[in-house]
């Protein structure tokens, strides 16, 4: 068997109970905030898409109506 060097030893991190409780509560809050934020972001994004689509439709409809009105008017020369 090989002899172990000092560098082969595992490092053990000691976490005090108080620190562990604080870490869990911080993680819990951020997870809840992320869960709430994600649907909100999705709704905002989709609402933006719908608004852009509706605006484009209104603009195209306005242009089409204007061109129809111009076509029906008699030319004044």
């Amino acid at each position: 068997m090989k002899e172990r060097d000092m560098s082969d030893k595992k490092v053990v991190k000691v976490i005090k109970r108080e620190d562990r409780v604080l870490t869990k509560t911080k993680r819990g809050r951020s997870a809840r905030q992320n869960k709430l934020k994600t649907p909100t972001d999705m709704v905002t994004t989709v609402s933006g898409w719908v608004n852009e689509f509706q605006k484009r439709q209104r603009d195209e409809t306005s242009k089409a109506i204007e061109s129809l009105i111009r076509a029906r008017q008699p030319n004044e020369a």
Side-chain angles (χ1 to χ4, degrees):
M1 272 185 120
K2 285 186 171 179
E3 287 186 37
R4 287 189 171 192
D5 293 323
M6 292 293 279
S7 62
D8 289 345
K9 290 186 178 181
K10 302 286 181 180
V11 177
V12 177
K13 183 177 179 182
V14 177
I15 301 175
K16 295 181 182 177
R17 184 173 301 207
E18 298 157 356
D19 294 340
R20 186 173 40 173
V21 170
L22 287 175
T23 304
K24 283 183 181 179
T25 56
K26 286 180 186 176
R27 198 174 340 148
R29 285 185 191 147
S30 64
R32 264 185 274 138
Q33 288 173 346
N34 286 342
K35 286 180 184 176
L36 293 175
K37 188 176 180 183
T38 303
T40 304
D41 289 342
M42 289 190 296
V43 168
T44 302
T45 302
V46 172
S47 296
W49 293 342
V50 169
N51 289 336
E52 288 175 18
F53 176 75
Q54 289 175 341
K55 183 180 182 300
R56 194 174 342 125
Q57 290 290 82
R58 283 191 297 265
D59 292 344
E60 290 174 1
T61 303
S62 297
K63 288 177 185 176
I65 291 173
E66 286 176 12
S67 66
L68 285 174
I69 291 173
R70 283 190 209 135
R72 295 197 67 160
Q73 289 179 346
N75 291 337
E76 295 178 19

